[in-house]
Amino acid sequence: MESVRWAFRCGSWSPSCSEWLLAARCVQREEKDRIGQFVFAKDSKSAMAGRLLIRKLITEKMNIPWNEIHLERTPKGKPVLAKPVLHNISQKYNFNISHQGDYVVLAAEPGLQVGVDVMKTSRPGSSTTVDFFKIMKRQFTDHEWKVIKSAGSELKQLEMFYRHWTLKESFIKAIGTGVGFNLQRIEFHLSTKQMNVEEEKKDTKLLLDGEQEDNWVFEESCSAFSDPNPARFITLNFNDLVTSAIPLTEEDYEYWEHFQKKAESPSRQHTLVRD
């Protein structure tokens, strides 16, 4: 059994009618309905791709037929394979997905807890970087803020901020605690401060409640905006997502018509903060 790292570039996916209708047929009905409720096309595409990635993983790596997969959510909102099927699994993967910016990514590990988070480095859409940092101050320790603020230019500070943020998010997603976890309980120490494009680092250390945790490995990588292949991740296309798919429902042309009416994304970027 091997680690799985997959990425799908939603930012460059403009689904045709046949693609969107096929995708909608290949997810559970309640998932289809939830995806259809997103206001913007970008969010609908990301959610759809995420569900297809999970089902592809379960079919191809865990050998469960597509039409026998039933996904549910934990009380904290993490997608998991429904328990009634678990006793038939000879190869069990833990998995997690994340979507932001252009990408949806999936990470899966056999028999290990796993969390993944992806972020696009961008300037705050509704405030200055200084004000943005003030809002987010409670989410980081004094040590982490010192590292962020000492990174150099405003853009470098934002890059360091998002690096710390994705580390924290990936950890709490791995342990499945949800938004109620106090992020100041976890502190990251970066052995390598400079991340180069297409370079992978595994030397970051975690302190939990002041004690170093040696049982966790943090894989970090960054990619240029124009690079279609994020480091460490295999980039898939739409045909890859559905190559093992078995349609679950009948075709629903109104679903395509509804999707076509959505704006791609908000006209003005808004920054979502964790509180």
Side-chain angles (χ1 to χ4, degrees), residues 130-188:
V130 172
D131 289 339
F132 177 59
F133 282 174
K134 287 180 180 178
I135 294 171
M136 300 299 292
K137 183 174 177 58
R138 288 177 294 171
Q139 314 303 340
F140 299 87
T141 67
D142 291 341
H143 167 81
E144 290 170 330
W145 274 120
K146 183 178 179 180
V147 173
I148 293 169
K149 294 292 187 65
S150 64
S153 67
E154 180 179 315
L155 182 59
K156 290 294 184 182
Q157 289 183 38
L158 282 168
E159 288 175 353
M160 189 61 76
F161 168 86
Y162 285 121
R163 184 177 173 187
H164 280 82
W165 182 255
T166 53
L167 285 165
K168 287 177 181 274
E169 284 288 308
S170 63
F171 175 73
I172 64 171
K173 290 174 72 177
I175 62 176
T177 58
V179 297
F181 191 88
N182 180 3
L183 292 181
Q184 288 212 7
R185 291 182 58 196
I186 50 179
E187 180 176 279
F188 287 94

Side-chain angles (χ1 to χ4, degrees), residues 85-107:
V85 186
L86 290 180
H87 68 279
N88 296 321
I89 297 174
S90 59
Q91 302 184 81
K92 182 180 178 182
Y93 275 83
N94 291 314
F95 56 85
N96 196 229
I97 59 170
S98 177
H99 53 83
Q100 203 272 339
D102 280 353
Y103 287 101
V104 179
V105 296
L106 175 144

Side-chain angles (χ1 to χ4, degrees), residues 4-268:
V4 177
R5 304 288 185 271
W6 289 336
F8 180 75
R9 195 171 185 181
C10 282
S12 59
W13 182 38
S14 297
S16 65
C17 175
S18 59
E19 285 180 342
W20 192 248
L21 290 178
L22 175 59
R25 295 183 66 197
C26 293
V27 298
Q28 291 163 211
R29 188 176 300 277
E30 65 269 24
E31 295 171 338
K32 171 190 165 185
D33 293 342
R34 185 182 62 84
I35 291 167
Q37 291 173 3
F38 283 106
V39 174
F40 299 106
K42 181 178 181 180
D43 298 322
S44 292
K45 291 189 297 180
S46 296
M48 183 70 79
R51 278 299 178 270
L52 293 175
L53 281 168
I54 292 173
R55 300 185 78 91
K56 176 182 174 70
L57 171 82
I58 295 171
T59 291
E60 296 182 7
K61 301 298 182 180
M62 299 169 68
N63 299 318
I64 298 176
W66 190 285
N67 59 340
E68 294 182 15
I69 297 169
H70 184 75
L71 296 170
E72 59 186 15
R73 289 176 177 269
T74 68
K76 299 295 185 180
K78 187 175 183 179
V80 295
L81 188 60
K83 290 182 179 179
V85 186
L86 290 180
H87 68 279
N88 296 321
I89 297 174
S90 59
Q91 302 184 81
K92 182 180 178 182
Y93 275 83
N94 291 314
F95 56 85
N96 196 229
I97 59 170
S98 177
H99 53 83
Q100 203 272 339
D102 280 353
Y103 287 101
V104 179
V105 296
L106 175 144
E109 290 288 340
L112 298 174
Q113 288 177 282
V114 61
V116 65
D117 197 56
V118 60
M119 289 292 294
K120 178 181 178 180
T121 300
S122 58
R123 300 181 187 278
S126 57
S127 64
T128 66
T129 300
V130 172
D131 289 339
F132 177 59
F133 282 174
K134 287 180 180 178
I135 294 171
M136 300 299 292
K137 183 174 177 58
R138 288 177 294 171
Q139 314 303 340
F140 299 87
T141 67
D142 291 341
H143 167 81
E144 290 170 330
W145 274 120
K146 183 178 179 180
V147 173
I148 293 169
K149 294 292 187 65
S150 64
S153 67
E154 180 179 315
L155 182 59
K156 290 294 184 182
Q157 289 183 38
L158 282 168
E159 288 175 353
M160 189 61 76
F161 168 86
Y162 285 121
R163 184 177 173 187
H164 280 82
W165 182 255
T166 53
L167 285 165
K168 287 177 181 274
E169 284 288 308
S170 63
F171 175 73
I172 64 171
K173 290 174 72 177
I175 62 176
T177 58
V179 297
F181 191 88
N182 180 3
L183 292 181
Q184 288 212 7
R185 291 182 58 196
I186 50 179
E187 180 176 279
F188 287 94
H189 288 239
L190 285 64
S191 300
T192 305
K193 301 294 175 61
Q194 180 65 42
M195 288 286 296
N196 298 316
V197 173
E198 300 311 310
E199 183 179 36
E200 184 184 11
K201 296 295 183 183
K202 293 184 179 181
D203 52 7
T204 290
K205 301 299 181 183
L206 165 68
L207 272 64
L208 175 61
D209 297 328
E211 298 291 331
Q212 184 166 313
E213 296 284 320
D214 294 324
N215 293 329
W216 291 90
V217 175
F218 294 89
E219 300 175 358
E220 300 178 79
S221 61
C222 63
S223 299
F225 173 78
S226 58
D227 193 337
N229 298 297
R232 186 74 166 85
F233 285 77
I234 297 173
T235 302
L236 308 178
N237 58 35
F238 178 75
N239 288 335
D240 295 325
L241 295 187
V242 297
T243 186
S244 303
I246 298 174
L248 308 175
T249 58
E250 297 298 319
E251 189 170 281
D252 179 4
Y253 190 77
E254 288 185 4
Y255 197 73
W256 164 251
E257 293 180 326
H258 181 63
F259 174 75
Q260 277 194 305
K261 295 176 182 178
K262 298 177 187 285
E264 177 65 19
S265 59
S267 58
R268 180 179 178 182

